Amino acid sequence: MNAVTTQVFKSACRMCHGGCGVLVHVVDGVIQKVAGNPESPLNKGLLCLKGPASTDIVSHPDRLTHPMKRIGARGEGKWARISWEEAYDIIADKLELIIKENGPESIVIGTGTGRHHCNFVPRFANALGTPNWCEPGHAQCFFPRVNVTHLTFGGLPVCDYYGDVEPACVLVWGHNPLNSGPDGELPFHTRDLMYGGKTKYIVVDPRRTKIAEQAAVWLQVRPGTDDALALAMINVIIAEGLHDKEFVAKWTYGFDQLAEHVRLLTPEWAEPITWVPADTIRAAARLFATTKPATLEWGCAIEHTPNSIQTARAISILPAITGNIDIPGGWVFGTPTVTPVPSLDDNLSAETKAKRLGSSEFRVLGQANVQPSAHIPAVFKAMRTGKPYPVRAFMVFGNNPLLSYANSKVIHESLQKLEFFMVMELFMTPSADLADLVLPAASWFEVDAMPAFPYFAENAVLVQQKIVQVGECKQDEVVFAEIARRMKLKVGTEDPKDIYTQQLAANIGITYDELRERGSVWRPMTYRKYETRGFKTQSGKIELYSLALEKLGYAPLPYYVEPPESPVSTPDVAKDFPFVLTTGARIPNFFTSEHRQLPKLRRIYNDPMVEIHPEPASRLGIGNGDWVWIETKRGKIKQRAKVTDGIDPRVINVEFGWWFPERKDGERGVWDSNANVLTNIEPPYDPAMGTYQLRALLCRIEKVAGESTPA
Ligand SMILES: Nc1nc2c(c(=O)[nH]1)N[C@H]1C(S)=C(S)[C@@H](COP(=O)(O)OP(=O)(O)OC[C@H]3O[C@@H](n4cnc5c(=O)[nH]c(N)nc54)[C@H](O)[C@@H]3O)O[C@H]1N2
Ligand SMILES: Nc1nc2c(c(=O)[nH]1)N[C@H]1C(S)=C(S)[C@@H](COP(=O)(O)OP(=O)(O)OC[C@H]3O[C@@H](n4cnc5c(=O)[nH]c(N)nc54)[C@H](O)[C@@H]3O)O[C@H]1N2
Ligand code: SF4
Ligand SMILES: [Mo]
């Protein structure tokens, strides 16, 4: 009998944005299990339910395993297997033709949120010479926060979960880190702190999440009015003299202008706008300002409405004026382990950059961004109309456009117009069904990569190792380099591992192979770095009054804007669509539109759920578990009712990312329960970032007659 060989590989789970160090057990070349790595600095051996379930991806019968080209009509589902060589020939021929006839800007590169290759996507676009790349989260997830903090503080601060001092107060705003653990700040950090019992939580959320349940103060805000709420909290802190006067005097710029700006924005002003009682706003502001150290955990809910930049600005001012910046247990800047992936930004001329779609209008998104990108509505409009110039090719690496961009019908219409649509994917999706060419992507078990966390405050770098090969799947970064070599591009041809070694050299001086041995490297927290080097802003201080925004032509002080579709701004629409809709609150089982095909996760969460309060539910004859229609001006979907008093009676919460991979017919249920059938890609947009409306819209809801499960 042959001896059984067992190997254990150190890696990092990427079933979400990631950060959990894992030990992958492999027996005779087959992955048997994923266990938490106790030595890993971020998760210390813990995993959520998605980590262990991820082994199902490797052996899944529906995995894409080889390149395919379309042989029938678009969307007909007829494919021919081809070799990588033929796939590269198709890509190179098509791109070279488009570059010759229209210029590289007619090629758009698409991607999704925070996966291993995300920083290589703008690099690949720059290597090709196109200023146009986009991501469904870029104007409406994380980058409004990243840009606001870079403009205001000169960098992104994160919660200090890592030092000797625990935060005494955490302000959780539009965020549910127990479910989402988004950017390398994992659910376990919040769980430990919350159940430790010493830390006071203040939660701003229209839903009573688990964190809200045990919070000292819960502010049940009307979706989309966080700007007004934050301004009123600033008003209280300044009016009551609760700000840190010494820190403010020494380290902030524009305090007097801010004080004057918020003087009339009292809790009584904010109460009718936000639906939060004035006394609760006061209590939250006082608690936050008087409990030290305090920190801020904010999420994407504040970035899904068209005042994302000023909302994030207003909220970020709270830890600043209370002196909680870069102190133990406060809101801290990281000590980077790695340098950024070289962006090859220099490969684009100023003239080419000026052609970036939407960049002259949305100047933070398209110009001053830490990663400038194209404006999504402008990209899809150019596909449909050819204006201001044609978009002929869209190459997508890790995104399901019909599920994650606003207004799926408009996205569908736009994709149909493309001359060349390419998708690199793990599985067929409703979007990949429309492609001309599909490439098979490697999962996180199949790549050599180097994720660093928390994003933009990277104290830790972890290794990801290629443990198995599935079919002919490739890693996206490898494909970028191979296309660059095939097209004989001047730049972007290096092997990704050479880039990792460059990134590791500057700060921690080890090679990628050494990182493989160690699994991870962690740099200890350092504090009050500003005392020696100031803040990386024009004034060297925290800019409460933003000189950088003023220079770009935007308001230097944060302000409130009523959401464009709301009971206040469109009362006529509210007559027919009386509920305020919010979408997308994360559930632990799935990541964005992923994982619906993994039995271990789907078995325990089969159907999409919409939350509704018992009062309207009983008025509308809706019982717990009933299928209901949710309808906006843009379209109609169905989900199952979760009747709960944890949501405001005037608000409806719809899950996002739902399609049904088990349905092999036509469109895989993309129109049935997909939240983005409801959302809005039309203006107005955030003036600086171009953010559109994924939340704070108007909807109506009614029971689906005579149906218990979708057809
Ligand atoms: N399990 C899992 N983890 C994930 C993801 C996933 O899909 N699944 N997605 C990843 C991604 S892309 C991201 S961006 C993060 C997102 O994770 P989070 O930033 O935590 O965002 P959400 O869970 O979408 O929403 C957070 C909370 O905001 C509340 N909310 C809704 N509307 C409003 C509003 O107008 N104002 C306020 N103040 N609150 C509101 C919701 O009720 C919800 O409880 O999670 C990442 N992690
Ligand atoms: N209504 C509404 N819409 C939203 C949100 C919301 O809350 N509400 N949230 C928004 C936010 S915050 C974000 S970040 C976006 C998320 O948007 P995305 O991150 O783009 O998520 P998906 O559209 O699910 O697309 C990801 C696809 O990538 C594939 N994939 C996974 N790993 C790899 C890989 O390594 N390589 C390749 N090539 N493919 C891979 C998956 O199979 C999946 O089909 O959605 C946004 N859309
Ligand atoms: S929190 Fe994210 S990285 Fe950690 S086990 Fe869960 S899915 Fe994996
Ligand atoms: Mo996101």
Side-chain angles (χ1 to χ4, degrees):
M1 218 166 73
N2 291 337
V4 174
T5 58
T6 303
Q7 290 165 288
V8 177
F9 293 88
K10 289 176 184 162
S11 193
C13 172
R14 299 307 299 279
M15 287 287 275
C16 72
H17 283 143
C20 289
V22 292
L23 298 171
V24 181
H25 295 245
V26 179
V27 178
D28 282 348
V30 177
I31 295 174
Q32 295 292 336
K33 80 167 180 185
V34 174
N37 181 354
E39 286 172 7
S40 188
L42 287 165
N43 59 312
K44 302 189 176 77
L46 300 171
L47 297 179
C48 84
L49 78 171
K50 293 190 288 307
S54 53
T55 50
D56 283 0
I57 293 182
V58 177
S59 52
H60 199 289
D62 292 348
R63 263 300 285 281
L64 288 166
T65 53
H66 46 76
M68 300 191 298
K69 70 174 177 192
R70 171 166 74 82
I71 48 172
R74 193 181 283 280
E76 200 189 350
K78 292 200 180 132
W79 300 96
R81 177 176 181 163
I82 56 171
S83 66
W84 276 100
E85 284 306 301
E86 192 183 339
Y88 287 146
D89 283 344
I90 293 171
I91 293 169
D93 288 352
K94 189 53 92 177
L95 298 191
E96 278 157 8
L97 179 77
I98 294 173
I99 291 170
K100 196 165 127 233
E101 290 181 356
N102 293 78
E105 62 275 13
S106 287
I107 304 162
V108 176
I109 310 300
T111 188
T113 187
R115 296 176 179 87
H116 57 89
H117 59 292
C118 66
N119 293 322
F120 283 76
V121 170
R123 175 185 159 88
F124 176 58
N126 289 336
L128 273 175
T130 175
N132 290 321
W133 72 279
C134 62
E135 189 248 295
H138 214 67
Q140 33 273 316
C141 170
F142 194 47
F143 282 82
R145 279 169 281 163
V146 171
N147 284 310
V148 156
T149 51
H150 275 77
L151 296 168
T152 310
F153 300 79
L156 176 77
V158 296
C159 286
D160 185 13
Y161 293 124
Y162 317 102
D164 299 330
V165 179
E166 287 184 344
C169 179
V170 185
L171 174 56
V172 181
W173 202 307
H175 187 24
N176 188 12
L178 281 182
N179 283 11
S180 55
D183 303 307
E185 291 134 319
L186 293 158
F188 323 113
H189 298 146
T190 299
R191 200 187 58 189
D192 290 351
L193 209 57
M194 199 174 98
Y195 293 118
K198 282 186 279 178
T199 304
K200 292 204 163 62
Y201 273 81
I202 302 170
V203 175
V204 183
D205 198 307
R207 298 164 54 243
R208 195 177 59 230
T209 59
K210 267 211 173 69
I211 314 176
E213 241 161 46
Q214 62 73 62
V217 185
W218 170 37
L219 302 101
Q220 194 174 19
V221 69
R222 169 162 69 101
T225 63
D226 301 273
D227 41 11
L229 186 59
L231 290 165
M233 285 177 67
I234 300 172
N235 166 287
V236 174
I237 292 170
I238 297 179
E240 298 189 6
L242 301 176
H243 53 287
D244 182 332
K245 294 172 194 75
E246 201 185 320
F247 181 83
V248 163
K250 201 158 170 202
W251 292 112
T252 69
Y253 176 85
F255 179 77
D256 292 343
Q257 288 102 314
L258 174 71
E260 179 52 27
H261 181 70
V262 299
R263 198 167 53 82
L264 302 175
L265 309 182
T266 59
E268 285 69 22
W269 164 79
E271 177 173 321
I273 299 172
T274 61
W275 298 347
V276 182
D279 285 350
T280 311
I281 301 176
R282 259 195 196 94
R286 286 176 187 152
L287 182 65
F288 185 75
T290 57
T291 317
K292 295 275 170 66
T295 190
L296 171 64
E297 269 274 24
W298 49 356
C300 70
I302 59 164
E303 298 167 320
H304 286 178
T305 49
N307 197 29
S308 65
I309 289 292
Q310 298 300 350
T311 304
R313 278 264 300 147
I315 297 170
S316 75
I317 283 174
L318 293 164
I321 59 173
T322 50
N324 283 300
I325 305 302
D326 221 20
I327 60 166
W331 212 35
V332 294
F333 301 102
T335 312
T337 39
V338 290
T339 53
V341 173
S343 72
L344 307 179
D345 179 61
D346 291 349
N347 202 44
L348 300 187
S349 65
E351 194 194 343
T352 304
K353 284 181 189 164
K355 291 184 188 158
R356 181 173 289 130
L357 288 163
S359 69
S360 58
E361 191 174 357
F362 308 109
R363 295 178 293 284
V364 173
L365 175 74
Q367 298 176 25
N369 201 325
V370 296
Q371 269 183 355
S373 71
H375 187 228
I376 292 161
V379 165
F380 287 94
K381 194 168 178 192
M383 282 179 201
R384 289 192 306 281
T385 64
K387 301 232 163 62
Y389 50 78
V391 164
R392 291 173 59 183
F394 189 33
M395 299 169 75
V396 173
F397 298 86
N399 163 239
N400 188 352
L402 291 175
L403 268 298
S404 45
Y405 288 109
N407 199 335
S408 315
K409 277 187 205 151
V410 172
I411 301 302
H412 189 260
E413 192 191 320
S414 314
L415 295 176
Q416 297 279 7
K417 295 271 164 72
L418 285 165
E419 178 181 322
F420 181 60
F421 181 30
M422 192 221 87
V423 174
M424 183 151 168
E425 255 299 345
L426 296 163
F427 295 99
M428 279 314 275
T429 66
S431 309
D433 281 330
L434 302 176
D436 301 290
L437 182 68
V438 173
L439 303 179
S443 79
W444 70 264
F445 296 102
E446 304 153 46
V447 301
D448 287 315
M450 201 181 67
F453 301 105
Y455 288 141
F456 286 92
E458 288 105 350
N459 288 309
V461 58
L462 285 81
V463 79
Q464 270 185 278
Q465 317 208 29
K466 178 167 170 171
I467 299 167
V468 287
Q469 171 72 43
V470 172
E472 294 175 13
C473 294
K474 289 194 190 224
Q475 173 172 359
D476 299 76
E477 297 89 322
V478 170
V479 171
F480 298 149
E482 288 179 352
I483 294 175
R485 290 198 283 263
R486 172 65 61 112
M487 291 178 70
K488 299 198 169 45
L489 300 180
K490 291 197 299 280
V491 288
T493 52
E494 303 95 312
D495 187 77
K497 271 186 269 176
D498 294 339
I499 297 174
Y500 305 151
T501 293
Q502 265 178 52
Q503 289 182 268
L504 287 164
N507 294 342
I508 48 178
I510 62 167
T511 64
Y512 179 71
D513 286 330
E514 284 162 336
L515 181 66
R516 208 192 275 277
E517 290 299 309
R518 287 167 68 168
S520 62
V521 177
W522 173 259
R523 291 182 89 188
M525 299 303 301
T526 54
Y527 301 102
R528 294 194 175 85
K529 297 176 273 295
Y530 55 84
E531 285 182 349
T532 48
R533 42 180 139 126
F535 291 91
K536 290 184 210 138
T537 57
Q538 187 183 322
S539 59
K541 298 182 177 187
I542 298 171
E543 298 195 348
L544 305 175
Y545 182 101
S546 172
L547 295 169
L549 279 172
E550 187 173 51
K551 206 155 141 195
L552 286 162
Y554 299 114
L557 290 165
Y559 54 81
Y560 145 74
V561 191
E562 178 60 26
E565 186 177 292
S566 86
V568 179
S569 50
T570 54
D572 48 328
V573 180
K575 272 190 214 136
D576 289 333
F577 300 93
F579 292 97
V580 176
L581 171 74
T582 186
T583 73
R586 269 53 181 173
I587 46 176
N589 297 54
F590 309 114
F591 187 68
T592 64
S593 75
E594 289 195 58
H595 307 152
R596 291 345 184 250
Q597 58 283 87
L598 304 185
K600 288 194 191 89
L601 298 174
R602 186 70 185 285
R603 215 168 28 225
I604 45 174
Y605 209 107
N606 195 50
D607 300 321
M609 304 298 286
V610 49
E611 285 173 324
I612 179 167
H613 189 274
E615 184 274 309
S618 88
R619 189 162 31 88
L620 296 166
I622 294 168
N624 204 30
D626 283 348
W627 283 96
V628 293
W629 291 111
I630 308 106
E631 185 174 5
T632 67
K633 275 173 70 187
R634 289 145 299 271
K636 186 173 172 176
I637 60 165
K638 55 191 168 183
Q639 301 200 348
R640 287 185 92 151
K642 178 176 171 187
V643 179
T644 165
D645 66 0
I647 190 163
D648 189 288
R650 296 160 286 186
V651 177
I652 297 290
N653 174 57
V654 156
E655 285 178 2
F656 109 104
W658 277 96
W659 58 291
F660 301 93
E662 65 275 17
R663 284 193 233 157
K664 305 295 178 205
D665 58 314
E667 293 170 312
R668 302 174 205 264
V670 67
W671 305 112
D672 290 4
S673 300
N674 169 6
N676 283 320
V677 169
L678 307 174
T679 55
N680 192 11
I681 197 169
E682 293 302 317
Y685 309 119
D686 181 90
M689 199 68 187
T691 311
Y692 52 42
Q693 276 171 284
L694 294 174
R695 304 193 192 202
L697 294 154
L698 291 172
C699 73
R700 66 179 164 222
I701 179 162
E702 67 176 318
K703 194 172 160 164
V704 176
E707 197 183 335
S708 55
T709 50

